[in-house]
Protein backbone atom coordinates (compact mmCIF):
# COMPACT_ATOMS: atom_id res chain seq x y z
CA UNK A 1 0.00 0.00 0.00
CA UNK A 2 1.23 3.47 -0.82
CA UNK A 3 1.43 6.57 1.27
CA UNK A 4 -1.88 7.82 2.65
CA UNK A 5 -3.45 10.62 4.68
CA UNK A 6 -5.95 10.01 7.50
CA UNK A 7 -7.98 12.73 9.14
CA UNK A 8 -9.63 12.32 12.53
CA UNK A 9 -12.13 15.04 13.43
CA UNK A 10 -13.29 16.40 16.76
CA UNK A 11 -16.00 13.76 17.17
CA UNK A 12 -13.54 10.90 16.79
CA UNK A 13 -11.33 12.16 19.63
CA UNK A 14 -13.92 13.70 21.92
CA UNK A 15 -12.93 11.54 24.90
CA UNK A 16 -10.40 8.94 26.03
CA UNK A 17 -12.45 6.18 24.48
CA UNK A 18 -12.25 7.97 21.13
CA UNK A 19 -8.46 8.16 21.32
CA UNK A 20 -8.32 4.44 22.12
CA UNK A 21 -10.60 3.80 19.18
CA UNK A 22 -8.21 5.74 16.91
CA UNK A 23 -5.57 3.17 17.80
CA UNK A 24 -8.03 0.43 16.88
CA UNK A 25 -8.57 2.02 13.48
CA UNK A 26 -4.81 2.01 12.91
CA UNK A 27 -4.61 -1.62 14.01
CA UNK A 28 -7.39 -2.68 11.72
CA UNK A 29 -6.25 -0.78 8.67
CA UNK A 30 -2.53 -1.57 8.99
CA UNK A 31 -1.34 1.33 6.87
CA UNK A 32 2.38 1.80 7.41
CA UNK A 33 3.16 5.03 5.63
CA UNK A 34 0.77 7.63 6.81
CA UNK A 35 0.21 11.25 7.77
CA UNK A 36 -2.45 11.51 10.47
CA UNK A 37 -4.20 14.86 10.68
CA UNK A 38 -6.12 15.54 13.88
CA UNK A 39 -8.57 18.26 14.91
CA UNK A 40 -9.19 19.68 18.34
CA UNK A 41 -10.92 17.27 20.72
CA UNK A 42 -14.71 17.37 20.87
CA UNK A 43 -15.96 20.93 21.10
CA UNK A 44 -12.65 22.45 22.20
CA UNK A 45 -12.51 24.96 19.35
CA UNK A 46 -15.81 26.38 20.61
CA UNK A 47 -14.40 26.47 24.14
CA UNK A 48 -11.34 28.37 22.88
CA UNK A 49 -13.62 30.77 21.01
CA UNK A 50 -15.14 31.49 24.43
CA UNK A 51 -11.65 32.26 25.77
CA UNK A 52 -11.24 34.87 23.01
CA UNK A 53 -14.69 36.36 23.65
CA UNK A 54 -14.00 36.59 27.39
CA UNK A 55 -10.62 38.21 26.72
CA UNK A 56 -12.23 40.98 24.67
CA UNK A 57 -15.09 41.50 27.09
CA UNK A 58 -12.92 42.04 30.13
CA UNK A 59 -16.02 42.58 32.24
CA UNK A 60 -17.14 39.07 31.50
CA UNK A 61 -15.96 37.00 34.45
CA UNK A 62 -15.28 33.53 33.25
CA UNK A 63 -13.30 30.43 33.88
CA UNK A 64 -12.92 29.70 30.20
CA UNK A 65 -9.27 28.62 30.21
CA UNK A 66 -9.92 26.37 33.20
CA UNK A 67 -12.59 24.57 31.16
CA UNK A 68 -10.08 23.86 28.40
CA UNK A 69 -7.46 22.85 30.94
CA UNK A 70 -9.72 20.47 32.87
CA UNK A 71 -11.04 18.82 29.72
CA UNK A 72 -7.59 17.87 28.41
CA UNK A 73 -6.26 17.00 31.82
CA UNK A 74 -9.12 14.57 32.43
CA UNK A 75 -8.72 12.84 29.07
CA UNK A 76 -4.99 12.50 29.68
CA UNK A 77 -5.63 11.08 33.16
CA UNK A 78 -7.88 8.43 31.69
CA UNK A 79 -5.39 7.56 28.98
CA UNK A 80 -2.16 7.61 30.95
CA UNK A 81 -3.34 6.97 34.52
CA UNK A 82 0.03 8.05 35.92
CA UNK A 83 -0.06 11.84 36.59
CA UNK A 84 3.74 11.88 36.38
CA UNK A 85 3.65 10.86 32.70
CA UNK A 86 5.60 13.37 30.57
CA UNK A 87 2.48 14.27 28.57
CA UNK A 88 1.12 16.28 31.53
CA UNK A 89 4.14 18.60 31.44
CA UNK A 90 3.62 19.11 27.72
CA UNK A 91 -0.06 19.95 28.20
CA UNK A 92 0.84 22.38 30.95
CA UNK A 93 3.53 24.01 28.83
CA UNK A 94 1.06 24.64 26.01
CA UNK A 95 -1.48 26.13 28.39
CA UNK A 96 1.18 28.37 29.95
CA UNK A 97 2.14 29.52 26.47
CA UNK A 98 -1.50 30.40 25.77
CA UNK A 99 -1.86 32.32 29.04
CA UNK A 100 1.44 34.08 28.37
CA UNK A 101 0.18 35.22 24.98
CA UNK A 102 -3.00 36.64 26.48
CA UNK A 103 -1.04 38.52 29.12
CA UNK A 104 1.45 40.00 26.69
CA UNK A 105 -0.82 40.66 23.73
CA UNK A 106 -1.44 44.27 22.78
CA UNK A 107 -3.21 43.72 19.48
CA UNK A 108 -6.83 44.88 19.44
CA UNK A 109 -7.46 42.81 16.27
CA UNK A 110 -10.09 40.21 17.20
CA UNK A 111 -9.34 37.91 14.29
CA UNK A 112 -5.61 37.97 14.94
CA UNK A 113 -6.07 37.15 18.63
CA UNK A 114 -8.63 34.48 17.73
CA UNK A 115 -6.08 32.60 15.63
CA UNK A 116 -3.31 32.88 18.23
CA UNK A 117 -5.68 31.28 20.75
CA UNK A 118 -7.81 28.65 18.99
CA UNK A 119 -4.77 26.83 17.57
CA UNK A 120 -4.15 25.39 21.04
CA UNK A 121 -7.06 22.99 20.52
CA UNK A 122 -5.13 21.19 17.78
CA UNK A 123 -1.75 21.52 19.51
CA UNK A 124 -3.19 19.91 22.65
CA UNK A 125 -5.08 17.12 20.87
CA UNK A 126 -2.10 16.07 18.76
CA UNK A 127 0.21 16.19 21.79
CA UNK A 128 -2.09 13.85 23.71
CA UNK A 129 -2.76 11.47 20.81
CA UNK A 130 0.91 11.30 19.88
CA UNK A 131 1.91 10.44 23.44
CA UNK A 132 -0.78 7.81 23.61
CA UNK A 133 0.33 6.21 20.34
CA UNK A 134 3.87 6.07 21.70
CA UNK A 135 2.56 4.45 24.88
CA UNK A 136 0.83 1.86 22.70
CA UNK A 137 4.11 1.06 21.00
CA UNK A 138 3.75 3.09 17.80
CA UNK A 139 6.73 5.00 16.50
CA UNK A 140 5.32 8.29 15.38
CA UNK A 141 6.72 11.72 14.61
CA UNK A 142 4.81 14.79 15.82
CA UNK A 143 4.97 17.78 13.48
CA UNK A 144 3.91 21.37 14.04
CA UNK A 145 2.02 21.90 10.78
CA UNK A 146 2.45 25.66 11.15
CA UNK A 147 6.06 25.18 10.08
CA UNK A 148 4.85 23.87 6.71
CA UNK A 149 1.43 25.22 5.76
CA UNK A 150 1.84 28.91 5.04
CA UNK A 151 -0.97 31.38 4.47
CA UNK A 152 -1.46 35.10 4.04
CA UNK A 153 -2.46 37.27 7.02
CA UNK A 154 -6.19 36.78 6.49
CA UNK A 155 -6.79 35.63 10.08
CA UNK A 156 -9.56 33.05 10.59
CA UNK A 157 -9.64 32.25 6.86
CA UNK A 158 -6.01 32.06 5.78
CA UNK A 159 -5.36 31.73 2.07
CA UNK A 160 -2.77 29.04 1.40
CA UNK A 161 0.50 29.93 -0.29
CA UNK A 162 0.73 26.72 -2.29
CA UNK A 163 4.23 27.19 -3.58
CA UNK A 164 5.86 27.64 -0.17
CA UNK A 165 3.63 25.01 1.44
CA UNK A 166 4.46 22.46 -1.23
CA UNK A 167 8.18 23.13 -0.81
CA UNK A 168 8.03 22.85 2.98
CA UNK A 169 5.95 19.71 3.08
CA UNK A 170 7.93 17.85 0.47
CA UNK A 171 11.23 18.75 2.10
CA UNK A 172 10.29 18.10 5.68
CA UNK A 173 7.64 15.41 5.90
CA UNK A 174 8.88 11.90 5.16
CA UNK A 175 6.54 9.62 3.24
CA UNK A 176 7.62 6.69 5.37
CA UNK A 177 6.34 5.74 8.80
CA UNK A 178 3.62 7.46 10.79
CA UNK A 179 3.63 11.26 10.87
CA UNK A 180 1.14 13.01 13.09
CA UNK A 181 0.06 16.61 12.79
CA UNK A 182 -2.68 19.20 13.28
CA UNK A 183 -5.56 20.08 11.02
CA UNK A 184 -7.01 23.58 10.60
CA UNK A 185 -3.94 25.58 11.68
CA UNK A 186 -1.15 27.26 9.71
CA UNK A 187 1.04 30.34 9.94
CA UNK A 188 1.57 33.64 8.15
CA UNK A 189 4.83 34.96 6.65
CA UNK A 190 5.80 36.51 10.01
CA UNK A 191 5.32 33.24 11.85
CA UNK A 192 2.04 34.20 13.55
CA UNK A 193 -0.59 31.51 13.69
CA UNK A 194 -3.47 31.49 11.24
CA UNK A 195 -6.43 29.15 10.71
CA UNK A 196 -8.07 27.87 7.56
CA UNK A 197 -11.71 28.48 8.54
CA UNK A 198 -13.90 26.49 10.93
CA UNK A 199 -14.02 22.77 10.21
CA UNK A 200 -10.90 23.21 8.09
CA UNK A 201 -9.09 20.02 9.10
CA UNK A 202 -10.48 18.12 6.11
CA UNK A 203 -8.87 20.82 3.99
CA UNK A 204 -5.52 20.33 5.75
CA UNK A 205 -5.67 16.63 4.88
CA UNK A 206 -6.24 17.56 1.24
CA UNK A 207 -3.40 20.11 1.23
CA UNK A 208 -0.97 17.52 2.59
CA UNK A 209 -2.19 14.83 0.21
CA UNK A 210 -1.87 17.18 -2.75
CA UNK A 211 1.60 18.39 -1.85
CA UNK A 212 2.94 14.92 -1.09
CA UNK A 213 1.08 13.06 -3.86
CA UNK A 214 -0.70 10.71 -1.48
CA UNK A 215 -2.37 7.62 -2.85
CA UNK A 216 -5.61 8.41 -1.04
CA UNK A 217 -7.19 10.38 1.80
CA UNK A 218 -9.56 8.93 4.39
CA UNK A 219 -11.63 11.10 6.70
CA UNK A 220 -12.96 9.17 9.68
CA UNK A 221 -16.42 10.23 10.81
CA UNK A 222 -19.21 9.31 13.19
CA UNK A 223 -21.41 8.39 10.19
CA UNK A 224 -21.02 5.44 7.78
CA UNK A 225 -19.99 7.81 4.96
CA UNK A 226 -21.65 10.57 2.98
CA UNK A 227 -25.40 10.07 3.18
CA UNK A 228 -28.17 11.47 1.03
CA UNK A 229 -28.99 13.80 3.96
CA UNK A 230 -27.72 14.74 7.40
CA UNK A 231 -29.08 11.92 9.58
CA UNK A 232 -29.54 14.34 12.47
CA UNK A 233 -32.36 16.08 10.59
CA UNK A 234 -33.67 13.67 7.98
CA UNK A 235 -35.02 10.19 8.42
CA UNK A 236 -34.09 7.40 6.02
CA UNK A 237 -30.85 8.89 4.76
CA UNK A 238 -29.17 6.55 2.27
CA UNK A 239 -25.44 5.84 2.18
CA UNK A 240 -23.88 7.06 -1.05
CA UNK A 241 -21.31 4.49 -2.17
CA UNK A 242 -19.76 6.70 -4.79
CA UNK A 243 -19.72 10.42 -5.54
CA UNK A 244 -17.87 12.18 -8.35
CA UNK A 245 -15.60 15.06 -7.34
CA UNK A 246 -17.89 17.47 -9.13
CA UNK A 247 -20.98 16.27 -7.30
CA UNK A 248 -19.17 16.24 -3.95
CA UNK A 249 -18.02 19.82 -4.54
CA UNK A 250 -21.64 20.83 -5.19
CA UNK A 251 -22.94 19.00 -2.10
CA UNK A 252 -20.26 20.51 0.15
CA UNK A 253 -20.75 23.95 -1.37
CA UNK A 254 -24.50 23.88 -0.70
CA UNK A 255 -23.74 22.98 2.91
CA UNK A 256 -23.47 19.21 3.34
CA UNK A 257 -21.22 19.71 6.34
CA UNK A 258 -19.73 16.22 6.29
CA UNK A 259 -16.92 17.44 3.99
CA UNK A 260 -15.36 20.88 4.16
CA UNK A 261 -15.97 22.52 0.76
CA UNK A 262 -12.33 23.46 0.15
CA UNK A 263 -11.19 19.85 0.50
CA UNK A 264 -12.20 18.54 -2.87
CA UNK A 265 -10.57 20.70 -5.49
CA UNK A 266 -6.94 19.96 -4.59
CA UNK A 267 -7.78 16.25 -4.56
CA UNK A 268 -9.61 16.45 -7.86
CA UNK A 269 -6.65 18.23 -9.45
CA UNK A 270 -4.44 15.22 -8.82
CA UNK A 271 -7.22 12.64 -8.92
CA UNK A 272 -6.49 11.51 -5.38
CA UNK A 273 -9.51 9.55 -4.14
CA UNK A 274 -11.21 10.61 -0.91
CA UNK A 275 -12.84 8.05 1.36
CA UNK A 276 -15.33 9.01 4.03
CA UNK A 277 -15.60 6.19 6.53
CA UNK A 278 -16.95 5.36 9.95
CA UNK A 279 -14.38 5.36 12.74
CA UNK A 280 -16.55 2.80 14.50
CA UNK A 281 -16.61 0.38 11.56
CA UNK A 282 -13.32 0.91 9.76
CA UNK A 283 -13.70 -2.24 7.69
CA UNK A 284 -16.85 -0.98 6.00
CA UNK A 285 -16.48 0.58 2.58
CA UNK A 286 -17.98 4.00 3.36
CA UNK A 287 -18.12 6.51 0.52
CA UNK A 288 -15.58 6.94 -2.22
CA UNK A 289 -15.22 10.31 -3.92
CA UNK A 290 -13.26 10.17 -7.17
CA UNK A 291 -13.49 10.48 -10.94
CA UNK A 292 -16.76 9.21 -12.38
CA UNK A 293 -20.43 9.80 -12.80
CA UNK A 294 -22.53 11.84 -10.32
CA UNK A 295 -23.58 9.61 -7.44
CA UNK A 296 -24.35 5.98 -6.80
CA UNK A 297 -27.12 5.24 -5.92
CA UNK A 298 -28.76 8.16 -7.71
CA UNK A 299 -31.19 9.41 -5.06
CA UNK A 300 -32.40 12.88 -4.08
CA UNK A 301 -29.96 14.56 -1.67
CA UNK A 302 -31.14 16.98 1.00
CA UNK A 303 -29.05 19.72 2.57
CA UNK A 304 -30.24 21.97 5.38
CA UNK A 305 -28.58 25.16 6.57
CA UNK A 306 -30.16 26.88 9.54
CA UNK A 307 -29.65 30.35 10.99
CA UNK A 308 -29.41 32.02 7.63
CA UNK A 309 -30.51 35.59 6.98
CA UNK A 310 -32.63 36.82 4.11
CA UNK A 311 -32.01 40.45 3.19
CA UNK A 312 -34.46 41.97 0.70
CA UNK A 313 -33.45 45.26 -0.86
CA UNK A 314 -35.20 47.78 -3.05
CA UNK A 315 -34.24 51.28 -4.06
CA UNK A 316 -35.28 54.36 -2.09
CA UNK A 317 -36.05 56.29 -5.27
CA UNK A 318 -37.71 54.90 -8.38
CA UNK A 319 -34.65 53.34 -9.89
CA UNK A 320 -34.34 49.69 -10.82
CA UNK A 321 -32.09 47.22 -9.09
CA UNK A 322 -29.46 47.12 -11.80
CA UNK A 323 -25.73 46.55 -12.21
CA UNK A 324 -24.45 49.56 -10.30
CA UNK A 325 -26.73 48.95 -7.30
CA UNK A 326 -25.97 45.27 -7.25
CA UNK A 327 -22.24 45.74 -7.53
CA UNK A 328 -22.38 48.12 -4.56
CA UNK A 329 -24.32 45.52 -2.57
CA UNK A 330 -21.80 42.80 -3.36
CA UNK A 331 -18.95 45.03 -2.36
CA UNK A 332 -20.56 45.55 1.04
CA UNK A 333 -21.28 41.82 1.41
CA UNK A 334 -17.57 41.22 0.82
CA UNK A 335 -16.47 43.93 3.24
CA UNK A 336 -18.66 42.48 6.00
CA UNK A 337 -17.59 38.90 5.21
CA UNK A 338 -21.06 37.61 4.49
CA UNK A 339 -21.16 34.21 2.86
CA UNK A 340 -23.75 34.40 0.10
CA UNK A 341 -25.95 31.30 -0.22
CA UNK A 342 -28.51 32.40 -2.72
CA UNK A 343 -29.54 35.48 -4.68
CA UNK A 344 -32.67 36.45 -6.53
CA UNK A 345 -33.44 39.66 -8.28
CA UNK A 346 -36.27 41.32 -10.12
CA UNK A 347 -36.67 44.79 -11.60
CA UNK A 348 -37.28 46.48 -8.27
CA UNK A 349 -35.96 44.16 -5.64
CA UNK A 350 -32.86 42.18 -4.87
CA UNK A 351 -32.88 39.39 -2.29
CA UNK A 352 -29.84 37.74 -0.89
CA UNK A 353 -29.61 34.93 1.62
CA UNK A 354 -26.44 35.06 3.70
CA UNK A 355 -24.68 33.22 6.45
CA UNK A 356 -23.91 35.73 9.20
CA UNK A 357 -20.84 33.76 10.19
CA UNK A 358 -18.85 36.68 11.53
CA UNK A 359 -21.78 38.44 13.26
CA UNK A 360 -21.53 41.54 11.10
CA UNK A 361 -25.21 41.72 10.18
CA UNK A 362 -26.13 44.84 12.15
CA UNK A 363 -23.21 46.81 10.76
CA UNK A 364 -24.01 45.70 7.20
CA UNK A 365 -27.70 46.53 7.49
CA UNK A 366 -26.94 49.98 8.90
CA UNK A 367 -24.73 50.64 5.88
CA UNK A 368 -27.29 49.29 3.39
CA UNK A 369 -30.06 51.43 4.88
CA UNK A 370 -28.23 54.55 3.69
CA UNK A 371 -29.04 53.61 0.10
CA UNK A 372 -31.82 51.03 0.08
CA UNK A 373 -35.07 50.03 1.63
CA UNK A 374 -34.08 46.97 3.61
CA UNK A 375 -36.11 44.10 5.05
CA UNK A 376 -34.35 41.49 7.13
CA UNK A 377 -35.60 38.00 8.03
CA UNK A 378 -33.36 36.31 10.54
CA UNK A 379 -33.30 32.63 11.46
CA UNK A 380 -34.41 31.34 8.11
CA UNK A 381 -33.51 27.85 6.91
CA UNK A 382 -32.16 27.09 3.49
CA UNK A 383 -32.97 23.68 2.04
CA UNK A 384 -31.22 22.46 -1.06
CA UNK A 385 -32.49 19.42 -2.89
CA UNK A 386 -30.16 17.89 -5.49
CA UNK A 387 -31.44 15.33 -7.96
CA UNK A 388 -34.91 16.47 -7.06
CA UNK A 389 -37.90 14.34 -7.87
CA UNK A 390 -41.47 15.58 -7.62
CA UNK A 391 -42.11 13.30 -4.71
CA UNK A 392 -39.01 14.42 -2.81
CA UNK A 393 -39.85 18.08 -3.36
CA UNK A 394 -43.42 17.58 -2.23
CA UNK A 395 -42.35 15.95 1.01
CA UNK A 396 -39.75 18.66 1.62
CA UNK A 397 -42.25 21.47 1.07
CA UNK A 398 -44.85 19.87 3.30
CA UNK A 399 -45.80 21.96 6.36
CA UNK A 400 -43.20 24.64 5.61
CA UNK A 401 -43.71 28.35 5.14
CA UNK A 402 -41.70 29.14 2.04
CA UNK A 403 -40.23 32.60 1.64
CA UNK A 404 -38.44 31.99 -1.59
CA UNK A 405 -38.00 29.14 -4.03
CA UNK A 406 -35.43 28.74 -6.74
CA UNK A 407 -35.50 25.97 -9.30
CA UNK A 408 -32.41 25.16 -11.33
CA UNK A 409 -31.50 22.18 -13.39
CA UNK A 410 -31.93 19.23 -10.97
CA UNK A 411 -31.44 21.48 -7.91
CA UNK A 412 -34.21 23.18 -5.97
CA UNK A 413 -33.60 25.61 -3.13
CA UNK A 414 -36.18 26.69 -0.57
CA UNK A 415 -35.90 29.40 2.05
CA UNK A 416 -38.24 28.76 4.91
CA UNK A 417 -39.11 30.25 8.29
P1 LIG B 1 -15.67 15.90 12.32
O1 LIG B 1 -15.62 15.03 13.53
O2 LIG B 1 -14.72 15.48 11.26
O3 LIG B 1 -15.60 17.34 12.63
P2 LIG B 1 -18.29 16.59 11.46
O4 LIG B 1 -19.11 16.63 12.71
O5 LIG B 1 -17.81 17.88 10.91
O6 LIG B 1 -17.07 15.61 11.71
O7 LIG B 1 -19.07 15.80 10.32
C1 LIG B 1 -19.82 14.66 10.60
C2 LIG B 1 -21.27 15.06 10.73
O8 LIG B 1 -21.73 15.62 9.53
C3 LIG B 1 -22.21 13.90 10.97
O9 LIG B 1 -22.34 13.58 12.32
C4 LIG B 1 -23.52 14.40 10.37
O10 LIG B 1 -24.44 14.82 11.35
C5 LIG B 1 -23.13 15.60 9.53
N1 LIG B 1 -23.61 15.53 8.15
C6 LIG B 1 -24.15 16.58 7.46
N2 LIG B 1 -24.51 16.22 6.23
C7 LIG B 1 -24.20 14.92 6.10
C8 LIG B 1 -24.31 13.99 5.04
N3 LIG B 1 -24.83 14.32 3.87
N4 LIG B 1 -23.87 12.72 5.25
C9 LIG B 1 -23.33 12.37 6.42
N5 LIG B 1 -23.20 13.21 7.47
C10 LIG B 1 -23.62 14.46 7.33
N1 LIG C 1 -11.10 22.28 15.29
C1 LIG C 1 -11.55 23.07 14.15
C2 LIG C 1 -13.03 23.37 14.28
O1 LIG C 1 -13.68 22.84 15.18
C3 LIG C 1 -11.22 22.45 12.84
C4 LIG C 1 -11.92 21.15 12.53
O2 LIG C 1 -12.46 20.53 13.44
O3 LIG C 1 -11.90 20.74 11.38
O4 LIG C 1 -13.53 24.13 13.52
MG1 LIG D 1 -15.75 19.08 12.36
Amino acid sequence: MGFQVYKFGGASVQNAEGVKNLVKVLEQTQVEDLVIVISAMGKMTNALEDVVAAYFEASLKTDTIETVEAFHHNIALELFENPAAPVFKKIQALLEELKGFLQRNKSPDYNFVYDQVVIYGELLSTTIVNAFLEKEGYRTTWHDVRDYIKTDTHYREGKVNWEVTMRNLSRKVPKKGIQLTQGFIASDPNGFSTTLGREGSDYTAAIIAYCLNAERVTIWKDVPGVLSADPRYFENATLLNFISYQEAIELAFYGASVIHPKTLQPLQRKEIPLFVKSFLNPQEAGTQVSVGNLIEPLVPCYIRKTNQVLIALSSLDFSFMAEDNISEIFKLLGTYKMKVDLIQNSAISFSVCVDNKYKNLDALVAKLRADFKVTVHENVSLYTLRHATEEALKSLEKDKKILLKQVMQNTVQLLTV
Side-chain angles (χ1 to χ4, degrees), residues 89-228:
K89 276 218 173 83
K90 288 186 183 160
I91 295 173
Q92 226 35 58
L94 286 167
L95 289 162
E96 290 310 317
E97 203 181 282
L98 164 60
K99 289 176 197 164
F101 166 78
L102 290 172
Q103 271 158 13
R104 279 190 320 273
N105 174 62
K106 297 216 164 46
S107 169
D109 178 347
Y110 196 98
N111 294 339
F112 169 80
V113 174
Y114 178 103
D115 276 359
Q116 311 317 304
V117 172
V118 298
I119 49 134
Y120 284 95
E122 271 68 14
L123 293 174
L124 286 160
S125 71
T126 50
T127 299
I128 294 173
V129 175
N130 192 57
F132 188 68
L133 284 173
E134 281 175 355
K135 178 172 176 268
E136 293 292 299
Y138 282 84
R139 288 185 59 188
T140 58
T141 311
W142 183 92
H143 298 262
D144 186 335
V145 83
R146 294 174 299 173
D147 294 338
Y148 314 143
I149 300 184
K150 289 290 180 178
T151 67
D152 61 6
T153 56
H154 198 141
Y155 299 107
R156 293 178 77 175
E157 194 86 57
K159 192 163 170 275
V160 173
N161 179 332
W162 285 94
E163 209 184 305
V164 180
T165 299
M166 169 92 87
R167 196 166 57 227
N168 291 340
L169 282 166
S170 49
R171 277 189 193 157
K172 293 170 191 158
V173 179
K175 290 169 71 167
K176 285 262 161 256
I178 301 183
Q179 318 299 323
L180 191 139
T181 199
Q182 307 76 34
F184 176 57
I185 73 177
S187 69
D188 73 9
N190 296 315
F192 288 109
S193 299
T194 57
T195 57
L196 304 175
R198 283 300 307 263
E199 303 296 333
S201 294
D202 295 349
Y203 183 37
T204 303
I207 295 168
I208 294 175
Y210 177 88
C211 292
L212 296 179
N213 296 313
E215 185 184 279
R216 60 162 79 180
V217 175
T218 306
I219 53 181
W220 297 97
K221 298 274 174 178
D222 59 357
V223 280
V226 181
L227 306 167
S228 60

Side-chain angles (χ1 to χ4, degrees), residues 164-358:
V164 180
T165 299
M166 169 92 87
R167 196 166 57 227
N168 291 340
L169 282 166
S170 49
R171 277 189 193 157
K172 293 170 191 158
V173 179
K175 290 169 71 167
K176 285 262 161 256
I178 301 183
Q179 318 299 323
L180 191 139
T181 199
Q182 307 76 34
F184 176 57
I185 73 177
S187 69
D188 73 9
N190 296 315
F192 288 109
S193 299
T194 57
T195 57
L196 304 175
R198 283 300 307 263
E199 303 296 333
S201 294
D202 295 349
Y203 183 37
T204 303
I207 295 168
I208 294 175
Y210 177 88
C211 292
L212 296 179
N213 296 313
E215 185 184 279
R216 60 162 79 180
V217 175
T218 306
I219 53 181
W220 297 97
K221 298 274 174 178
D222 59 357
V223 280
V226 181
L227 306 167
S228 60
D230 186 338
R232 283 177 299 181
Y233 308 116
F234 295 86
E235 283 169 16
N236 309 322
T238 315
L239 174 67
L240 304 174
N241 305 313
F242 175 86
I243 317 179
S244 70
Y245 289 115
Q246 198 51 46
E247 179 64 18
I249 290 168
E250 299 282 343
L251 290 173
F253 175 79
Y254 284 121
S257 61
V258 64
I259 308 174
H260 188 278
K262 286 185 181 166
T263 310
L264 293 150
Q265 289 187 65
L267 299 180
Q268 180 183 30
R269 183 74 64 89
K270 287 198 175 168
E271 296 190 0
I272 300 169
L274 171 71
F275 290 82
V276 181
K277 294 178 37 132
S278 158
F279 56 70
L280 294 174
N281 297 301
Q283 305 292 6
E284 284 178 11
T287 301
Q288 176 175 358
V289 181
S290 58
V291 181
N293 260 339
L294 288 178
I295 54 172
E296 199 286 302
L298 183 57
V299 288
C301 294
Y302 301 80
I303 300 153
R304 182 181 105 138
K305 279 179 108 174
T306 52
N307 277 321
Q308 307 299 294
V309 184
L310 176 64
I311 307 173
L313 302 156
S314 53
S315 64
L316 290 171
D317 53 25
F318 300 110
S319 60
F320 294 120
M321 293 303 282
E323 294 73 17
D324 47 349
N325 283 334
I326 294 174
S327 73
E328 187 196 336
I329 295 165
F330 268 101
K331 218 167 120 203
L332 287 172
L333 290 169
T335 308
Y336 289 96
K337 293 189 170 174
M338 293 290 171
K339 298 258 180 218
V340 176
D341 289 323
L342 180 150
I343 52 175
Q344 197 164 69
N345 77 314
S346 69
I348 53 164
S349 81
F350 180 82
S351 297
V352 54
C353 173
V354 296
D355 194 337
N356 182 22
K357 219 170 143 183
Y358 295 97

